[in-house]
């Protein structure tokens, strides 16, 4: 099973690189609704330093910077990060946004307890095995300071694409080259073990529409 799960994950980089090249700034400049929500949550918690995982071409990272946060943005796509960097510079926010190439299956290149908040919009529901998702959240926990907040979104098993397309096992299904791990509620609860789970909010996004959960959890102080 591990080899079957890893295969789509390994092919996703090429697919995303090609997609960003073919469609620069593909999601536009307006921030996602989850990012707008997260900015309010982070501000209320007194956060100043935000780590965004899976930042893509940067619409949300640039928004966080405009809102006054210092942003560390990571993605495994060099093409997306180059677009993010250029967008930040164009908006005069280059001094507030730093970028780093990072595959979420690997440890974060950050010291323990160095960030106030973490944001990940549809990153944890990429072509990752359940084991890799747990490891990624463990890394997020490591780099967050006590009391730090994580806001993430994932597509769930109520989504129209769940159970169709190419089945890779472990609730991972592939459509049009994009592989997604559809979350069960049990996985959300398991990832919140040892955290304070503050909200699991259901919402829809896009034309299908995609059906997602927006999850907010924080570390004890």
């Amino acid at each position: 099973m591990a080899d079957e799960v890893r295969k789509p994950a390994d092919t996703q980089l090429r697919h995303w690189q090609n997609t960003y090249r073919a469609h620069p700034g593909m999601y536009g400049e307006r921030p996602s609704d989850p990012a707008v929500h997260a900015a309010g949550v982070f501000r209320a918690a007194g956060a100043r330093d935000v780590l965004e995982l899976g930042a893509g071409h940067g619409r949300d990272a640039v928004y966080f910077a405009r809102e006054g946060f210092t942003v560390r943005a990571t993605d495994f796509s060099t093409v997306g990060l180059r677009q993010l960097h250029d967008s930040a510079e164009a908006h005069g926010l280059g001094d507030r946004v730093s970028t780093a190439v990072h595959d979420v299956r690997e440890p974060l290149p950050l010291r323990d307890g160095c960030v106030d908040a973490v944001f990940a919009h549809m990153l944890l529901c990429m072509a990752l095995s359940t084991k890799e998702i747990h490891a990624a959240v463990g890394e997020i926990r490591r780099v967050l300071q006590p009391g730090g907040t994580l806001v993430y979104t994932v597509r769930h098993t109520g989504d129209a694409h769940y159970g169709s397309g190419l089945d890779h096992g472990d609730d991972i299904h592939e459509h049009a080259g994009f592989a997604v791990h559809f979350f069960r509620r049990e996985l959300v609860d398991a990832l919140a073990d040892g955290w304070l789970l503050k909200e699991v909010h259901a919402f829809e996004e896009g034309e299908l529409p995609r059906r997602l959960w927006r999850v907010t959890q924080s570390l004890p102080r």
Side-chain angles (χ1 to χ4, degrees):
M1 178 63 70
D3 290 341
E4 293 174 3
V5 170
R6 185 166 289 277
K7 184 177 179 181
D10 289 337
T11 61
Q12 288 298 286
L13 174 56
R14 182 171 64 253
H15 187 70
W16 278 103
Q17 293 276 64
N18 292 337
T19 299
Y20 284 131
R21 288 191 187 100
H23 306 284
M26 60 186 288
Y27 295 114
E29 293 193 353
R30 293 185 60 183
S32 67
D33 289 342
V36 175
H37 171 82
V41 171
F42 297 159
R43 189 177 298 108
R48 294 175 295 177
D49 189 39
V50 174
L51 169 65
E52 183 181 359
L53 303 175
H57 66 76
R59 61 170 176 161
D60 290 338
V62 170
Y63 167 74
F64 287 133
R66 286 205 310 266
E67 291 296 299
F69 298 100
T70 298
V71 184
R72 310 181 199 205
T74 72
D75 201 281
F76 67 172
S77 170
T78 55
V79 178
L81 287 180
R82 186 160 54 248
Q83 293 174 12
L84 189 163
H85 175 269
D86 291 347
S87 178
E89 290 291 335
H91 286 86
L93 298 167
D95 61 335
R96 301 195 68 85
V97 181
S98 61
T99 63
V101 178
H102 177 255
D103 186 324
V104 73
R105 294 175 293 170
E106 303 296 331
L108 285 164
L110 297 171
R111 60 181 174 80
D112 295 0
C114 67
V115 296
D116 302 326
V118 176
F119 178 72
H121 184 27
M122 286 198 287
L123 182 278
L124 293 177
C125 64
M126 293 293 183
L128 303 170
S129 70
T130 299
K131 181 179 179 180
E132 288 167 337
I133 293 168
H134 274 279
V137 173
E139 277 295 287
I140 291 170
R141 180 172 187 146
R142 180 183 66 78
V143 302
L144 270 174
Q145 67 172 351
T149 302
L150 165 63
V151 175
Y152 72 89
T153 68
V154 289
R155 293 173 75 174
H156 59 68
T157 53
D159 188 277
H161 277 165
Y162 176 66
S164 61
L166 183 59
D167 185 354
H168 292 288
D170 202 14
D171 284 331
I172 298 174
H173 297 267
E174 183 176 336
H175 296 265
F178 294 99
V180 176
H181 188 135
F182 293 90
F183 272 47
R184 299 176 185 270
R185 176 56 196 258
E186 293 83 358
L187 180 54
V188 172
D189 291 338
L191 294 174
D193 185 33
W195 298 67
L196 303 175
L197 181 59
K198 297 191 171 180
E199 180 189 47
V200 181
H201 171 73
F203 71 103
E204 297 182 347
E205 183 179 84
E207 297 178 359
L208 187 60
R210 293 182 293 270
R211 292 177 178 169
L212 303 98
W213 284 318
R214 186 190 69 218
V215 182
T216 303
Q217 59 192 58
S218 62
L219 292 178
R221 293 189 180 276

